[in-house]
């Protein structure tokens, strides 16, 4: 069994088809006595609706996906080097691209018969932010194997280009060069640069905390939404069953009414037949008595 092909195939299925297909593959691996494959496949988790839609986008729109991955690398590089100019340019592209790709993802899901709610669309956007911010998330998204939105994605929006320090400039040349053999000491960063870097670090930490909390809230919302969808589906099935039973009950009541009418008619027929039979017996008794009388008179004569 080629486990990688199996995983790709499973994450290409609709969410409601995933569990049954996964369990069937696990059983197949166990029959083949491939314990490692069975364990790995059994560990796969059913994708949320947002994760499924994101995987669908990567499979259907590979060129657009590649552009987002390239932008993510540019943004991460800009943050590593604190390149304000590069970050400003990439940040503008970031917001535009996420809006467009989230809309395309929702359209693909709609075409596949699984429309996304506003909350799920927001989760798709959070996944796209995670792709830009985290190389590991980007790799999972690019493989179209996401099971859920990442739990702790660091977004870039809190670290705005305006508070980033400018690229360090080389120190100005001095009139007198250091004496031969004298080691020059590195210039200490001025207070302004240190303050800017401190603000960057604080903003980044705040962004991480806020994004983590937002992710927790989004995960809770997604779970609640899935629970509601399952409850709605169960309620729909129950309503259908009630309607079916009510229809059967109505039919049974109609059958009972007809049977009751038939029983009433039969009862009337029985009573009429009983009266007719009683009358016939009385007539027969009178005829027999008259016959006996005439017979007796003839014998006496």
């Amino acid at each position: 069994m080629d486990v990688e092909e199996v995983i790709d195939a499973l994450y290409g299925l609709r969410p409601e088809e995933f569990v049954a297909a996964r369990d069937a593959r696990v059983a197949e691996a166990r029959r083949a006595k491939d314990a490692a494959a069975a364990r790995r496949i059994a560990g796969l988790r059913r994708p949320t609706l947002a994760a499924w839609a994101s995987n669908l986008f990567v499979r259907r729109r590979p060129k657009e996906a590649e552009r987002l991955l390239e932008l993510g690398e540019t943004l991460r590089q800009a943050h590593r080097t604190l390149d304000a100019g590069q970050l400003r340019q990439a940040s503008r592209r970031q917001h535009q691209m996420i809006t467009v790709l989230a809309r395309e993802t929702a359209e693909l899901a709609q075409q596949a018969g699984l429309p996304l709610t506003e909350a799920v669309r927001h989760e798709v956007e959070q996944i796209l932010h995670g792709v830009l911010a985290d190389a590991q998330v980007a790799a999972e998204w690019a493989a179209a194997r996401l099971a859920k939105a990442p739990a702790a994605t660091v977004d870039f929006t809190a670290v705005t280009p305006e508070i980033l320090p400018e690229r360090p400039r080389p120190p100005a040349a001095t009139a007198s060069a250091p004496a031969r053999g004298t080691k020059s000491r590195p210039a200490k960063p001025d207070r302004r640069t240190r303050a800017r870097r401190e603000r960057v670090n604080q903003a980044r930490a705040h962004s991480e905390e806020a994004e983590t909390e937002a992710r927790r809230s989004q995960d809770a919302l997604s779970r609640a939404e899935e629970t509601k969808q399952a409850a709605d589906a169960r309620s729909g099935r129950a309503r259908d069953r009630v309607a079916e039973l009510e229809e059967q009950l109505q039919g049974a009541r109609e059958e009972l009414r007809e049977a009751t009418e038939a029983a009433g008619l039969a009862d009337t027929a029985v009573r009429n037949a009983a009266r007719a039979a009683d009358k016939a017996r009385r007539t027969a008794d009178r005829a027999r008595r008259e016959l006996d009388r005439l017979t007796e008179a003839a014998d006496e004569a």
Side-chain angles (χ1 to χ4, degrees):
M1 176 180 291
D2 189 327
V3 177
E4 298 302 324
E5 287 187 1
V6 169
I7 295 175
D8 283 338
L10 289 174
Y11 280 106
L13 298 174
R14 296 161 64 96
E16 68 271 18
E17 300 171 343
F18 182 88
V19 174
R22 178 199 61 193
D23 293 348
R25 288 294 197 168
V26 170
E28 181 182 343
R30 287 173 177 165
R31 286 194 298 270
K33 301 189 183 304
D34 192 342
R39 282 194 302 270
R40 186 174 178 194
I41 297 172
L44 300 176
R45 292 295 172 259
R46 176 182 180 270
T48 63
L49 187 55
W52 168 81
S54 298
N55 295 336
L56 179 66
F57 174 83
V58 173
R59 293 168 185 262
R60 299 283 182 85
R61 300 285 190 272
K63 292 183 179 179
E64 289 88 339
E66 183 61 31
R67 283 199 291 270
L68 185 70
L69 294 172
E70 292 174 355
L71 177 59
E73 179 57 36
T74 300
L75 276 166
R76 292 191 295 273
Q77 177 64 26
H79 272 264
R80 285 193 295 268
T81 61
L82 297 180
D83 187 331
Q86 187 181 33
L87 184 57
R88 287 189 184 94
Q89 182 180 4
S91 294
R92 285 192 294 269
R93 291 182 58 204
Q94 168 192 357
H95 297 297
Q96 295 170 356
M97 188 171 290
I98 285 179
T99 299
V100 172
L101 299 193
R103 183 175 64 250
E104 290 186 8
T105 300
E107 290 173 355
L108 288 173
Q110 177 78 31
Q111 294 169 9
L114 291 178
L116 306 185
T117 64
E118 191 64 31
V120 177
R121 286 192 179 201
H122 178 69
E123 190 175 354
V124 169
E125 292 181 357
Q126 293 301 317
I127 290 174
L128 295 174
H129 279 290
V131 171
L132 294 176
D134 191 310
Q136 182 176 351
V137 175
E140 294 177 2
W141 179 80
R145 294 181 178 183
L146 277 179
K148 63 177 183 177
T153 300
V154 179
D155 197 1
F156 296 132
T157 55
V159 185
T160 58
E162 287 74 12
I163 68 173
L164 291 174
E166 297 179 356
R167 295 179 65 88
R169 298 178 179 177
T174 57
S176 58
R180 185 181 299 275
T182 302
K183 295 183 178 179
S184 61
R185 296 180 179 179
K188 295 181 179 179
D190 58 26
R191 293 182 180 179
R192 184 180 301 176
T193 299
R194 287 197 298 268
R196 286 176 176 173
R197 289 184 181 276
E198 181 63 25
R199 288 199 300 272
V200 170
N201 291 335
Q202 290 175 356
R204 183 174 288 115
H206 177 72
S207 174
E208 292 176 2
E209 293 173 1
E211 185 63 27
T212 299
E213 183 59 30
R215 182 62 59 201
R216 290 196 189 101
S217 299
Q218 187 62 42
D219 287 345
L221 175 60
S222 297
R223 289 193 297 270
E225 224 182 26
E226 288 183 357
T227 301
K228 181 181 181 302
Q229 290 174 352
D232 288 344
R234 182 180 179 185
S235 176
R237 291 193 297 270
R239 282 195 299 270
D240 292 343
R241 180 59 177 159
V242 167
E244 180 183 354
L245 292 174
E246 286 179 343
E247 185 177 352
Q248 292 177 1
L249 178 60
Q250 183 63 29
R253 284 174 175 166
E254 183 66 22
E255 184 177 352
L256 174 61
R257 185 186 63 79
E258 294 175 355
T260 301
E261 290 179 356
L265 293 174
D267 186 57
T268 300
V270 167
R271 289 196 300 270
N272 292 337
R275 286 195 294 270
D278 184 62
K279 182 178 180 180
R281 281 195 299 272
R282 288 196 300 272
T283 300
D285 288 342
R286 285 196 300 271
R288 188 171 49 255
R289 286 194 299 272
E290 179 64 20
L291 175 63
D292 290 343
R293 187 182 66 77
L294 292 174
T295 301
E296 182 178 350
D299 289 342
E300 290 178 353

